[in-house]
Amino acid sequence: MSVVVIQFVTLDGIVSDPDGSGGTSTGGWAFRHGPETVAGDKFRLGNLLDEGVMLLGRTTWELFARLWPGREDPFSRRMNAVPKLVATRTLTDVSAWGNSSIIGGDVVHAVRNERRDIIVTGSLRVVHTLLAEDLIDEYRLLTFPTILRAGQRLFPAGGPPAYLECLSAEQVGAAVLARYGRPAR
């Protein structure tokens, strides 16, 4: 089992409100580069979507549950089919997006006991929780040529250093998809 975090990120490490749904003054920064940069399987998830499970926080799940179920293209069908675990303390019904279930209890415990590969999309609180427990094996970052100077960061200040290796990098539209993982042990 591995944990793969996927994020849209700016050059200065901001991950908040890439689509503008949060209503922030700098929101929508990822979509300013055109739909071809963000559409489809830009994170090269491939078999992870077919054999793994997605882990989403409540806010990301609610956003995605409004967007994905009505889409019918091949990538959307895969997103709708993948099992989804929702980390929430407030939701009781996740039937709005098929194959979703609520994590009963602690997200760290759920991750440690999951046998499938886990894809964490958005869900910054979940990412920070897993980061603090050193449970993330790979980051797939779609980095946009944007500097915001304000917003939530993927890697908050004050945490311990992490030494990763670049597994791959390629230009995807206006952005760069880079994969970072733990060095071989």
Side-chain angles (χ1 to χ4, degrees):
M1 183 276 300
S2 64
V3 177
V4 178
V5 167
I6 63 173
Q7 292 283 341
F8 292 153
V9 63
T10 65
L11 281 176
D12 57 344
I14 304 298
V15 293
S16 50
D17 206 10
D19 65 347
S21 65
T24 64
S25 62
T26 57
W29 50 267
F31 290 76
R32 289 187 178 122
H33 298 281
E36 66 280 350
T37 302
V38 296
D41 189 8
K42 297 301 185 206
F43 290 101
R44 311 293 189 252
L45 296 174
N47 287 342
L48 284 174
L49 283 177
D50 299 328
E51 299 167 9
V53 60
M54 290 188 84
L55 172 58
L56 304 153
R58 178 194 50 83
T59 303
T60 302
W61 183 88
E62 286 177 328
L63 172 65
F64 283 13
R66 288 190 304 268
L67 298 174
W68 289 104
R71 296 180 180 179
E72 289 296 324
D73 62 275
F75 179 69
S76 296
R77 283 194 293 273
R78 290 173 88 188
M79 285 288 288
N80 289 324
V82 68
K84 293 163 272 297
L85 302 175
V86 185
T88 180
R89 290 185 183 99
T90 57
L91 289 179
T92 57
D93 179 13
V94 291
S95 62
W97 193 15
N99 302 315
S100 295
S101 59
I102 294 172
I103 292 175
D106 179 50
V107 69
V108 170
H109 177 75
V111 167
R112 285 190 172 134
N113 289 304
E114 180 59 54
R115 288 182 276 197
R116 298 167 287 188
D117 289 331
I118 299 171
I119 307 160
V120 184
T121 305
S123 308
L124 194 56
R125 248 184 257 150
V126 171
V127 171
H128 286 169
T129 299
L130 299 179
L131 181 61
E133 296 292 325
D134 195 29
L135 291 174
I136 300 170
D137 300 295
E138 182 180 332
Y139 296 90
R140 295 187 188 183
L141 307 179
L142 197 57
T143 305
F144 290 81
T146 301
I147 298 170
L148 295 178
R149 295 184 175 91
Q152 295 178 306
R153 296 187 180 282
L154 179 57
F155 303 107
Y163 302 96
L164 305 171
E165 63 183 1
C166 183
L167 304 173
S168 67
E170 65 178 289
Q171 186 165 356
V172 179
V176 172
L177 173 64
R179 293 177 52 225
Y180 300 97
R182 298 173 186 257
R185 297 175 193 206

